[in-house]
Amino acid sequence: MSSANQPVQGMSDIAVPEVRLWQRIERLAREVLARYGFEELRTPVVEFESVFTRSLGETTDVVQKEMYVFEKGGRRLCLRPEGTAGVMRHAAGLGAAETDGARWYYIGPMFRSERPQAGRKRQFHQCGVECMEPPSPLVDAEILALQVDLLRAWGLEDCEVRLNTRGEGGGHAKVAEGLRAALAPRQAELCEDCRRRISENVLRVLDCKNEACQAIVATLPPPTDFMSEASRTYLAQVASHLDLLGVKYRVDPLLVRGLDYYEHTVWEIASMALGAQNAVAGGGRYRMQLGGRELAGVGFAIGLERVVGVLQALGLDAKMMELPPPLVWLVGLGGDAMKQNLALMQQLRAAGLACRMAPDGSMKSQMRAANKSGAAWAIIRGDDELARGVVALKDMVSGAQETLPLDRLVTHLAGKLAPKL
Ligand code: HAM
Protein backbone atom coordinates (compact mmCIF):
# COMPACT_ATOMS: atom_id res chain seq x y z
CA MET A 1 0.00 0.00 0.00
CA SER A 2 1.32 3.45 -0.85
CA SER A 3 0.12 6.95 -1.60
CA ALA A 4 0.16 5.99 -5.27
CA ASN A 5 -2.57 3.34 -4.96
CA GLN A 6 -4.57 4.43 -1.91
CA PRO A 7 -6.96 7.34 -1.42
CA VAL A 8 -6.20 9.76 1.41
CA GLN A 9 -7.10 8.32 4.82
CA GLY A 10 -10.77 8.82 5.64
CA MET A 11 -11.69 9.24 1.96
CA SER A 12 -12.94 6.52 -0.36
CA ASP A 13 -13.43 5.59 -3.97
CA ILE A 14 -17.01 4.59 -4.65
CA ALA A 15 -16.83 1.91 -7.31
CA VAL A 16 -18.99 -0.80 -8.90
CA PRO A 17 -21.08 -2.41 -7.48
CA GLU A 18 -21.61 0.05 -4.58
CA VAL A 19 -21.74 3.07 -6.89
CA ARG A 20 -24.95 1.64 -8.39
CA LEU A 21 -26.56 1.96 -4.97
CA TRP A 22 -25.43 5.60 -4.82
CA GLN A 23 -26.95 6.23 -8.27
CA ARG A 24 -30.28 4.82 -7.12
CA ILE A 25 -30.21 6.81 -3.88
CA GLU A 26 -29.51 10.00 -5.82
CA ARG A 27 -32.19 9.32 -8.44
CA LEU A 28 -34.85 8.61 -5.81
CA ALA A 29 -33.78 11.74 -3.89
CA ARG A 30 -34.23 13.95 -6.96
CA GLU A 31 -37.70 12.46 -7.55
CA VAL A 32 -38.85 13.00 -3.96
CA LEU A 33 -37.32 16.50 -3.72
CA ALA A 34 -39.01 17.60 -6.94
CA ARG A 35 -42.38 16.67 -5.40
CA TYR A 36 -41.71 19.17 -2.62
CA GLY A 37 -40.79 21.92 -5.09
CA PHE A 38 -37.01 21.87 -4.53
CA GLU A 39 -34.51 22.80 -7.27
CA GLU A 40 -30.88 21.75 -7.27
CA LEU A 41 -28.15 24.24 -6.34
CA ARG A 42 -24.53 23.27 -7.02
CA THR A 43 -22.13 25.42 -5.01
CA PRO A 44 -18.32 25.04 -5.22
CA VAL A 45 -16.49 22.60 -2.98
CA VAL A 46 -13.95 25.36 -2.21
CA GLU A 47 -15.20 28.48 -0.40
CA PHE A 48 -13.67 31.36 1.56
CA GLU A 49 -12.97 30.16 5.09
CA SER A 50 -14.92 33.09 6.55
CA VAL A 51 -18.18 31.76 5.03
CA PHE A 52 -18.05 28.97 7.62
CA THR A 53 -16.17 30.46 10.60
CA ARG A 54 -18.76 33.20 11.03
CA SER A 55 -21.91 31.21 10.44
CA LEU A 56 -21.09 27.83 12.03
CA GLY A 57 -19.60 29.49 15.13
CA GLU A 58 -15.96 30.04 16.15
CA THR A 59 -16.17 27.60 19.07
CA THR A 60 -17.72 24.64 17.22
CA ASP A 61 -15.64 21.50 16.70
CA VAL A 62 -16.07 21.82 12.94
CA VAL A 63 -14.51 25.30 12.86
CA GLN A 64 -11.94 24.75 15.62
CA LYS A 65 -10.61 21.36 14.57
CA GLU A 66 -12.08 19.94 11.42
CA MET A 67 -11.78 22.38 8.52
CA TYR A 68 -9.37 21.76 5.67
CA VAL A 69 -7.98 25.29 5.31
CA PHE A 70 -5.33 26.47 2.86
CA GLU A 71 -4.02 29.73 1.51
CA LYS A 72 -4.00 30.67 -2.14
CA GLY A 73 -3.23 34.09 -3.59
CA GLY A 74 -3.32 35.61 -0.11
CA ARG A 75 -6.89 34.37 0.54
CA ARG A 76 -7.82 31.81 3.16
CA LEU A 77 -9.87 29.12 1.46
CA CYS A 78 -11.30 25.83 2.69
CA LEU A 79 -12.99 22.65 1.57
CA ARG A 80 -16.64 22.99 2.57
CA PRO A 81 -17.39 21.08 5.80
CA GLU A 82 -21.17 21.31 5.23
CA GLY A 83 -23.66 22.69 2.75
CA THR A 84 -25.82 25.28 4.50
CA ALA A 85 -23.34 28.17 4.70
CA GLY A 86 -22.40 27.86 1.00
CA VAL A 87 -26.06 27.93 0.00
CA MET A 88 -26.59 31.03 2.16
CA ARG A 89 -23.46 32.61 0.63
CA HIS A 90 -25.13 32.07 -2.75
CA ALA A 91 -28.35 33.60 -1.41
CA ALA A 92 -26.43 36.61 -0.05
CA GLY A 93 -25.41 37.45 -3.61
CA LEU A 94 -29.02 37.49 -4.83
CA GLY A 95 -31.82 39.97 -4.31
CA ALA A 96 -34.57 39.36 -1.78
CA ALA A 97 -37.01 38.71 -4.64
CA GLU A 98 -34.95 35.67 -5.69
CA THR A 99 -34.33 34.27 -2.21
CA ASP A 100 -37.76 34.74 -0.62
CA GLY A 101 -39.42 31.37 -0.72
CA ALA A 102 -36.42 29.69 -2.42
CA ARG A 103 -36.19 25.91 -2.06
CA TRP A 104 -32.78 24.47 -2.91
CA TYR A 105 -31.26 21.01 -2.56
CA TYR A 106 -27.72 19.72 -2.96
CA ILE A 107 -26.04 16.35 -3.20
CA GLY A 108 -22.27 16.34 -2.92
CA PRO A 109 -19.05 15.83 -0.98
CA MET A 110 -18.23 17.60 2.30
CA PHE A 111 -14.89 17.52 4.13
CA ARG A 112 -14.13 17.35 7.83
CA SER A 113 -10.72 16.40 9.13
CA GLU A 114 -12.05 14.16 11.89
CA ARG A 115 -10.36 11.15 13.47
CA PRO A 116 -11.37 8.39 11.02
CA GLN A 117 -13.48 5.64 12.57
CA ALA A 118 -16.45 3.53 11.53
CA GLY A 119 -19.10 5.88 10.12
CA ARG A 120 -16.85 8.94 10.32
CA LYS A 121 -15.16 9.95 7.08
CA ARG A 122 -13.00 12.91 6.12
CA GLN A 123 -14.75 13.12 2.76
CA PHE A 124 -18.40 12.22 3.05
CA HIS A 125 -21.50 13.06 1.06
CA GLN A 126 -24.62 14.87 2.07
CA CYS A 127 -28.02 15.22 0.50
CA GLY A 128 -29.41 18.40 1.98
CA VAL A 129 -32.07 21.03 1.52
CA GLU A 130 -32.40 24.68 2.49
CA CYS A 131 -35.77 26.41 2.44
CA MET A 132 -35.98 30.19 2.70
CA GLU A 133 -39.68 30.60 3.35
CA PRO A 134 -40.71 32.94 6.19
CA PRO A 135 -40.18 31.29 9.61
CA SER A 136 -43.16 29.16 10.51
CA PRO A 137 -43.69 25.94 12.51
CA LEU A 138 -45.69 24.75 9.51
CA VAL A 139 -42.68 24.92 7.18
CA ASP A 140 -40.39 23.30 9.79
CA ALA A 141 -42.81 20.38 10.11
CA GLU A 142 -43.12 20.04 6.32
CA ILE A 143 -39.31 19.95 5.92
CA LEU A 144 -38.92 17.34 8.65
CA ALA A 145 -41.69 15.30 7.04
CA LEU A 146 -39.85 15.57 3.71
CA GLN A 147 -36.73 14.19 5.34
CA VAL A 148 -38.61 11.22 6.77
CA ASP A 149 -40.27 10.69 3.37
CA LEU A 150 -36.87 10.69 1.69
CA LEU A 151 -35.43 8.18 4.15
CA ARG A 152 -38.47 5.96 3.61
CA ALA A 153 -38.09 6.15 -0.18
CA TRP A 154 -34.59 4.71 0.34
CA GLY A 155 -35.92 1.91 2.53
CA LEU A 156 -34.96 3.39 5.92
CA GLU A 157 -38.04 2.82 8.03
CA ASP A 158 -36.67 2.28 11.51
CA CYS A 159 -35.33 5.78 12.16
CA GLU A 160 -35.78 7.71 15.35
CA VAL A 161 -36.44 11.44 15.11
CA ARG A 162 -35.30 13.49 18.11
CA LEU A 163 -36.80 16.97 18.19
CA ASN A 164 -35.88 19.99 20.26
CA THR A 165 -35.74 23.75 20.17
CA ARG A 166 -32.74 26.02 20.36
CA GLY A 167 -35.08 28.88 21.25
CA GLU A 168 -35.39 32.23 19.50
CA GLY A 169 -32.13 33.82 18.43
CA GLY A 170 -32.47 36.74 20.83
CA GLY A 171 -32.78 34.40 23.81
CA HIS A 172 -29.58 32.38 23.41
CA ALA A 173 -27.63 34.48 25.93
CA LYS A 174 -30.33 33.98 28.57
CA VAL A 175 -30.27 30.19 28.07
CA ALA A 176 -26.48 30.17 28.37
CA GLU A 177 -26.65 32.28 31.53
CA GLY A 178 -29.25 30.00 33.09
CA LEU A 179 -27.23 26.88 32.34
CA ARG A 180 -24.02 28.46 33.60
CA ALA A 181 -25.68 29.39 36.86
CA ALA A 182 -27.11 25.88 37.23
CA LEU A 183 -23.70 24.32 36.52
CA ALA A 184 -21.66 26.66 38.72
CA PRO A 185 -21.94 24.64 41.95
CA ARG A 186 -20.89 21.43 40.12
CA GLN A 187 -18.12 22.94 37.99
CA ALA A 188 -15.27 21.11 39.76
CA GLU A 189 -16.89 17.71 38.99
CA LEU A 190 -17.03 18.34 35.22
CA CYS A 191 -14.42 17.03 32.79
CA GLU A 192 -11.70 19.39 31.64
CA ASP A 193 -13.39 19.99 28.26
CA CYS A 194 -16.69 20.89 29.91
CA ARG A 195 -15.02 23.29 32.35
CA ARG A 196 -13.76 25.12 29.26
CA ARG A 197 -17.15 24.78 27.52
CA ILE A 198 -18.91 26.57 30.39
CA SER A 199 -17.46 29.88 29.28
CA GLU A 200 -17.04 29.08 25.54
CA ASN A 201 -20.23 27.26 24.57
CA VAL A 202 -22.10 25.99 27.58
CA LEU A 203 -24.77 24.12 25.55
CA ARG A 204 -22.11 21.63 24.47
CA VAL A 205 -21.86 20.43 28.08
CA LEU A 206 -25.30 18.87 27.51
CA ASP A 207 -24.03 16.38 24.94
CA CYS A 208 -20.68 15.54 26.56
CA LYS A 209 -20.08 11.80 26.42
CA ASN A 210 -18.27 11.70 29.79
CA GLU A 211 -20.34 9.74 32.35
CA ALA A 212 -19.68 12.10 35.24
CA CYS A 213 -20.80 15.05 33.10
CA GLN A 214 -23.89 13.19 31.93
CA ALA A 215 -24.88 12.48 35.54
CA ILE A 216 -24.65 16.20 36.32
CA VAL A 217 -26.53 17.15 33.14
CA ALA A 218 -29.38 14.82 34.19
CA THR A 219 -29.94 16.99 37.29
CA LEU A 220 -30.10 20.29 35.38
CA PRO A 221 -33.31 22.08 34.46
CA PRO A 222 -33.95 21.67 30.69
CA PRO A 223 -32.76 24.62 28.56
CA THR A 224 -36.39 25.32 27.59
CA ASP A 225 -36.90 26.57 31.19
CA PHE A 226 -34.70 29.55 30.31
CA MET A 227 -36.42 30.25 26.99
CA SER A 228 -39.28 32.58 26.14
CA GLU A 229 -42.87 31.43 26.08
CA ALA A 230 -42.86 32.11 22.32
CA SER A 231 -39.99 29.60 21.85
CA ARG A 232 -41.83 26.88 23.73
CA THR A 233 -45.05 27.59 21.81
CA TYR A 234 -43.18 27.40 18.50
CA LEU A 235 -41.86 23.93 19.41
CA ALA A 236 -45.32 22.79 20.51
CA GLN A 237 -46.75 23.91 17.17
CA VAL A 238 -44.08 22.03 15.19
CA ALA A 239 -44.86 18.96 17.28
CA SER A 240 -48.58 19.25 16.64
CA HIS A 241 -48.05 19.65 12.87
CA LEU A 242 -45.87 16.54 12.92
CA ASP A 243 -48.68 14.67 14.70
CA LEU A 244 -51.04 15.83 11.96
CA LEU A 245 -48.63 14.48 9.32
CA GLY A 246 -48.19 11.19 11.16
CA VAL A 247 -44.44 11.75 11.63
CA LYS A 248 -43.18 10.02 14.76
CA TYR A 249 -40.67 11.90 16.95
CA ARG A 250 -39.42 12.14 20.51
CA VAL A 251 -38.88 15.54 22.10
CA ASP A 252 -35.38 15.43 23.60
CA PRO A 253 -34.65 18.54 25.71
CA LEU A 254 -30.94 17.67 25.74
CA LEU A 255 -30.52 17.47 21.98
CA VAL A 256 -27.78 19.92 20.98
CA ARG A 257 -26.69 20.36 17.40
CA GLY A 258 -22.96 20.77 16.72
CA LEU A 259 -23.38 24.03 14.76
CA ASP A 260 -24.20 27.44 16.23
CA TYR A 261 -26.42 28.95 13.52
CA TYR A 262 -29.61 27.28 14.75
CA GLU A 263 -32.59 28.91 16.38
CA HIS A 264 -36.01 27.42 17.16
CA THR A 265 -36.52 23.91 15.75
CA VAL A 266 -33.62 21.43 15.69
CA TRP A 267 -33.66 17.70 15.10
CA GLU A 268 -31.54 14.64 14.53
CA ILE A 269 -32.44 11.33 12.97
CA ALA A 270 -30.69 8.14 14.00
CA SER A 271 -30.90 4.60 12.71
CA MET A 272 -30.91 1.66 15.06
CA ALA A 273 -29.16 -0.36 12.35
CA LEU A 274 -25.92 1.64 12.80
CA GLY A 275 -23.39 1.39 15.62
CA ALA A 276 -21.83 4.26 17.52
CA GLN A 277 -22.10 6.88 14.76
CA ASN A 278 -25.82 6.34 14.27
CA ALA A 279 -26.82 9.89 13.27
CA VAL A 280 -28.11 9.59 9.74
CA ALA A 281 -29.26 13.16 9.44
CA GLY A 282 -29.63 16.46 11.22
CA GLY A 283 -31.37 19.71 10.58
CA GLY A 284 -33.19 22.70 11.89
CA ARG A 285 -34.06 26.35 11.54
CA TYR A 286 -31.17 28.83 11.38
CA ARG A 287 -30.16 32.45 10.93
CA MET A 288 -26.81 33.89 9.85
CA GLN A 289 -25.17 37.12 8.67
CA LEU A 290 -23.35 36.85 5.35
CA GLY A 291 -22.34 39.50 2.84
CA GLY A 292 -24.12 42.19 4.84
CA ARG A 293 -27.43 40.35 4.72
CA GLU A 294 -29.30 38.47 7.37
CA LEU A 295 -30.35 35.11 6.00
CA ALA A 296 -32.74 32.67 7.57
CA GLY A 297 -34.07 29.29 6.59
CA VAL A 298 -34.80 25.76 7.61
CA GLY A 299 -33.12 22.67 6.24
CA PHE A 300 -31.41 19.38 6.86
CA ALA A 301 -28.58 17.21 5.63
CA ILE A 302 -28.52 13.44 5.37
CA GLY A 303 -25.17 11.63 5.50
CA LEU A 304 -25.19 9.36 2.46
CA GLU A 305 -22.38 7.05 3.67
CA ARG A 306 -24.55 6.43 6.74
CA VAL A 307 -27.60 5.72 4.55
CA VAL A 308 -25.52 3.23 2.55
CA GLY A 309 -24.33 1.73 5.86
CA VAL A 310 -27.93 1.21 7.02
CA LEU A 311 -28.96 -0.38 3.72
CA GLN A 312 -25.95 -2.71 3.92
CA ALA A 313 -26.72 -3.58 7.55
CA LEU A 314 -30.33 -4.36 6.60
CA GLY A 315 -29.25 -6.41 3.57
CA LEU A 316 -31.20 -4.13 1.24
CA ASP A 317 -28.23 -2.80 -0.74
CA ALA A 318 -28.10 -5.37 -3.55
CA LYS A 319 -31.84 -5.09 -4.20
CA MET A 320 -31.66 -1.30 -4.39
CA MET A 321 -28.81 -1.04 -6.86
CA GLU A 322 -29.40 0.70 -10.16
CA LEU A 323 -29.07 -1.90 -12.91
CA PRO A 324 -27.04 -1.00 -15.98
CA PRO A 325 -28.94 -1.46 -19.28
CA PRO A 326 -28.66 -4.92 -20.89
CA LEU A 327 -25.47 -5.07 -22.87
CA VAL A 328 -24.88 -6.29 -26.43
CA TRP A 329 -21.34 -7.59 -27.06
CA LEU A 330 -19.96 -7.63 -30.61
CA VAL A 331 -17.58 -10.45 -31.50
CA GLY A 332 -15.57 -10.23 -34.73
CA LEU A 333 -13.56 -12.95 -36.43
CA GLY A 334 -10.84 -11.34 -38.54
CA GLY A 335 -9.72 -7.75 -39.06
CA ASP A 336 -12.50 -6.89 -41.51
CA ALA A 337 -15.26 -8.09 -39.16
CA MET A 338 -13.66 -6.14 -36.30
CA LYS A 339 -13.77 -2.94 -38.36
CA GLN A 340 -17.35 -3.54 -39.50
CA ASN A 341 -18.35 -4.31 -35.91
CA LEU A 342 -16.91 -0.99 -34.78
CA ALA A 343 -19.26 0.79 -37.21
CA LEU A 344 -22.22 -1.49 -36.36
CA MET A 345 -21.66 -0.81 -32.65
CA GLN A 346 -22.15 2.93 -33.23
CA GLN A 347 -25.37 2.29 -35.22
CA LEU A 348 -26.73 0.13 -32.41
CA ARG A 349 -25.80 2.77 -29.84
CA ALA A 350 -27.52 5.43 -31.95
CA ALA A 351 -30.62 3.20 -31.79
CA GLY A 352 -30.42 3.26 -27.97
CA LEU A 353 -28.69 -0.04 -27.25
CA ALA A 354 -25.72 -0.44 -24.88
CA CYS A 355 -22.82 -2.11 -26.72
CA ARG A 356 -19.21 -3.07 -26.25
CA MET A 357 -16.57 -5.11 -28.07
CA ALA A 358 -13.01 -6.24 -27.45
CA PRO A 359 -10.48 -4.70 -29.85
CA ASP A 360 -8.93 -8.09 -30.75
CA GLY A 361 -8.60 -11.69 -29.63
CA SER A 362 -9.77 -15.15 -30.58
CA MET A 363 -13.46 -16.09 -30.65
CA LYS A 364 -12.93 -17.83 -27.31
CA SER A 365 -11.34 -14.87 -25.59
CA GLN A 366 -13.94 -12.45 -26.98
CA MET A 367 -16.77 -14.69 -25.76
CA ARG A 368 -15.04 -14.88 -22.35
CA ALA A 369 -14.98 -11.07 -22.24
CA ALA A 370 -18.68 -10.98 -23.19
CA ASN A 371 -19.49 -13.41 -20.38
CA LYS A 372 -17.43 -11.51 -17.85
CA SER A 373 -19.23 -8.27 -18.68
CA GLY A 374 -22.60 -9.91 -18.06
CA ALA A 375 -23.73 -9.15 -21.65
CA ALA A 376 -27.28 -10.25 -22.48
CA TRP A 377 -26.54 -10.87 -26.16
CA ALA A 378 -23.52 -11.49 -28.39
CA ILE A 379 -23.46 -10.56 -32.06
CA ILE A 380 -20.94 -12.73 -33.89
CA ARG A 381 -19.61 -11.99 -37.36
CA GLY A 382 -16.84 -13.55 -39.46
CA ASP A 383 -16.02 -13.30 -43.20
CA ASP A 384 -18.93 -15.61 -44.05
CA GLU A 385 -21.56 -13.50 -42.16
CA LEU A 386 -20.14 -10.32 -43.70
CA ALA A 387 -20.41 -11.76 -47.21
CA ARG A 388 -24.00 -12.90 -46.65
CA GLY A 389 -25.13 -9.68 -44.90
CA VAL A 390 -26.22 -11.57 -41.76
CA VAL A 391 -25.22 -11.80 -38.10
CA ALA A 392 -25.25 -14.66 -35.60
CA LEU A 393 -27.11 -13.53 -32.50
CA LYS A 394 -26.48 -15.45 -29.32
CA ASP A 395 -28.61 -15.26 -26.18
CA MET A 396 -25.95 -15.33 -23.47
CA VAL A 397 -28.32 -16.66 -20.83
CA SER A 398 -30.00 -19.54 -22.70
CA GLY A 399 -27.14 -20.12 -25.14
CA ALA A 400 -29.62 -20.18 -28.07
CA GLN A 401 -28.23 -18.83 -31.33
CA GLU A 402 -29.99 -17.61 -34.46
CA THR A 403 -28.97 -16.05 -37.76
CA LEU A 404 -30.53 -12.75 -38.78
CA PRO A 405 -30.28 -10.41 -41.77
CA LEU A 406 -28.30 -7.33 -40.75
CA ASP A 407 -31.10 -4.92 -41.70
CA ARG A 408 -33.47 -6.59 -39.22
CA LEU A 409 -31.01 -6.63 -36.32
CA VAL A 410 -31.90 -3.30 -34.65
CA THR A 411 -35.68 -3.88 -34.59
CA HIS A 412 -35.18 -7.48 -33.53
CA LEU A 413 -32.87 -6.57 -30.62
CA ALA A 414 -34.94 -3.59 -29.55
CA GLY A 415 -38.00 -5.87 -29.39
CA LYS A 416 -36.15 -8.53 -27.37
CA LEU A 417 -34.52 -6.08 -24.98
CA ALA A 418 -37.55 -3.86 -24.43
CA PRO A 419 -39.00 -5.96 -21.59
CA LYS A 420 -35.61 -6.00 -19.86
CA LEU A 421 -35.04 -2.25 -20.16
P1 HAM B 1 -24.54 17.79 10.54
O1 HAM B 1 -25.33 17.17 11.65
O2 HAM B 1 -23.20 18.34 10.87
O3 HAM B 1 -25.47 18.91 9.90
O4 HAM B 1 -24.36 16.72 9.38
C1 HAM B 1 -25.49 16.06 8.83
C2 HAM B 1 -25.19 14.60 8.62
O5 HAM B 1 -23.98 14.44 7.86
C3 HAM B 1 -24.90 13.81 9.90
O6 HAM B 1 -26.09 13.42 10.55
C4 HAM B 1 -24.15 12.61 9.36
O7 HAM B 1 -25.05 11.65 8.84
C5 HAM B 1 -23.37 13.21 8.20
N1 HAM B 1 -21.98 13.44 8.62
C6 HAM B 1 -21.47 14.48 9.30
N2 HAM B 1 -20.14 14.33 9.50
C7 HAM B 1 -19.82 13.14 8.95
C8 HAM B 1 -18.59 12.40 8.80
N3 HAM B 1 -17.44 12.86 9.27
N4 HAM B 1 -18.62 11.21 8.15
C9 HAM B 1 -19.79 10.73 7.65
N5 HAM B 1 -20.96 11.38 7.73
C10 HAM B 1 -20.98 12.57 8.38
C11 HAM B 1 -25.10 19.72 8.86
O8 HAM B 1 -24.14 19.53 8.17
C12 HAM B 1 -26.07 20.85 8.61
N6 HAM B 1 -25.55 21.65 7.49
C13 HAM B 1 -27.46 20.32 8.34
C14 HAM B 1 -28.45 21.40 8.04
C15 HAM B 1 -28.86 21.81 6.83
N7 HAM B 1 -29.05 22.15 8.94
C16 HAM B 1 -29.83 23.01 8.32
N8 HAM B 1 -29.71 22.84 7.03
Side-chain angles (χ1 to χ4, degrees):
M1 297 297 175
S2 75
S3 58
N5 64 11
Q6 282 288 299
V8 172
Q9 194 188 19
M11 309 199 180
S12 301
D13 301 317
I14 305 174
V16 169
E18 191 186 299
V19 73
R20 294 181 181 157
L21 181 58
W22 284 78
Q23 288 163 351
R24 180 74 180 280
I25 286 172
E26 287 166 17
R27 185 168 61 74
L28 289 172
R30 290 176 203 283
E31 282 172 22
V32 173
L33 291 163
R35 276 185 242 143
Y36 286 78
F38 280 83
E39 298 262 21
E40 185 171 8
L41 174 63
R42 300 188 186 197
T43 62
V45 162
V46 174
E47 294 272 5
F48 293 115
E49 182 192 19
S50 55
V51 168
F52 299 98
T53 41
R54 296 237 218 95
S55 54
L56 272 55
E58 304 272 0
T59 61
T60 54
D61 281 355
V62 175
V63 168
Q64 278 193 342
K65 309 184 203 156
E66 297 169 1
M67 298 245 285
Y68 282 96
V69 181
F70 56 99
E71 252 185 60
K72 196 84 195 165
R75 306 298 303 258
R76 282 179 69 81
L77 307 177
C78 70
L79 300 182
R80 60 181 186 190
E82 59 104 57
T84 313
V87 171
M88 289 303 114
R89 192 264 313 134
H90 172 78
L94 301 173
E98 290 153 296
T99 55
D100 286 354
R103 291 191 154 200
W104 286 303
Y105 78 83
Y106 47 90
I107 302 176
M110 308 293 162
F111 303 84
R112 295 184 193 175
S113 156
E114 303 195 65
R115 197 165 53 81
Q117 50 176 288
R120 239 182 227 292
K121 309 281 296 180
R122 289 180 168 172
Q123 175 175 329
F124 58 98
H125 297 75
Q126 287 185 344
C127 171
V129 311
E130 311 301 342
C131 167
M132 294 189 73
E133 266 147 50
S136 154
L138 203 130
V139 181
D140 297 10
E142 184 200 354
I143 298 302
L144 213 170
L146 153 62
Q147 193 170 13
V148 171
D149 209 1
L150 198 50
L151 292 168
R152 195 171 298 137
W154 291 331
L156 275 70
E157 304 272 356
D158 72 328
C159 290
E160 188 201 31
V161 178
R162 284 187 301 143
L163 180 71
N164 195 15
T165 177
R166 179 72 181 85
E168 349 179 59
H172 288 181
K174 227 171 141 197
V175 174
E177 245 171 62
L179 285 174
R180 256 184 230 123
L183 280 167
R186 314 288 301 268
Q187 192 162 343
E189 299 162 63
L190 293 170
C191 74
E192 202 186 314
D193 279 343
C194 281
R195 285 204 296 273
R196 184 175 40 81
R197 285 175 186 139
I198 286 190
S199 53
E200 273 187 4
N201 192 344
V202 67
L203 267 189
R204 307 246 26 128
V205 174
L206 301 185
D207 68 351
C208 179
K209 302 288 172 278
N210 181 297
E211 273 181 30
C213 297
Q214 283 181 351
I216 295 169
V217 165
T219 67
L220 297 178
T224 39
D225 279 15
F226 309 113
M227 289 177 193
S228 65
E229 193 53 39
S231 299
R232 286 192 290 267
T233 308
Y234 192 104
L235 175 65
Q237 286 175 344
V238 174
S240 105
H241 295 323
L242 290 174
D243 292 337
L244 175 80
L245 296 173
V247 173
K248 296 209 169 32
Y249 60 87
R250 178 167 67 82
V251 174
D252 178 355
L254 296 183
L255 171 69
V256 181
R257 299 276 296 124
L259 308 166
D260 282 353
Y261 49 52
Y262 291 107
E263 61 176 29
H264 284 301
T265 323
V266 286
W267 66 83
E268 264 183 28
I269 303 189
S271 168
M272 303 310 120
L274 291 179
Q277 300 301 325
N278 64 359
V280 171
R285 173 160 290 287
Y286 52 84
R287 183 179 300 277
M288 61 183 78
Q289 300 278 343
L290 277 175
R293 272 191 70 186
E294 183 171 86
L295 300 146
V298 59
F300 62 73
I302 306 179
L304 294 182
E305 277 76 5
R306 307 250 170 112
V307 169
V308 166
V310 174
L311 293 173
Q312 287 168 342
L314 297 176
L316 294 173
D317 50 328
K319 210 171 77 189
M320 281 268 301
M321 282 177 192
E322 203 85 328
L323 287 181
L327 186 66
V328 180
W329 196 278
L330 288 89
V331 175
L333 308 174
D336 205 18
M338 282 295 189
K339 252 170 50 192
Q340 301 279 343
N341 276 358
L342 181 65
L344 177 58
M345 189 160 67
Q346 287 308 81
Q347 284 172 24
L348 295 176
R349 285 174 177 157
L353 296 160
C355 305
R356 281 190 60 186
M357 64 183 276
D360 53 27
S362 64
M363 164 99 171
K364 203 167 152 193
S365 76
Q366 291 183 58
M367 287 306 285
R368 206 181 302 126
N371 259 319
K372 189 171 160 215
S373 74
W377 302 91
I379 290 171
I380 306 159
R381 293 203 292 181
D383 289 341
D384 179 44
E385 283 79 9
L386 286 184
R388 289 166 52 211
V390 296
V391 300
L393 181 67
K394 181 168 178 163
D395 183 320
M396 298 294 284
V397 179
S398 69
Q401 191 165 316
E402 58 191 317
T403 302
L404 278 178
L406 190 54
D407 55 9
R408 275 190 35 222
L409 178 65
V410 171
T411 16
H412 186 81
L413 271 179
K416 291 232 185 226
L417 289 176
K420 298 189 191 172
L421 283 172

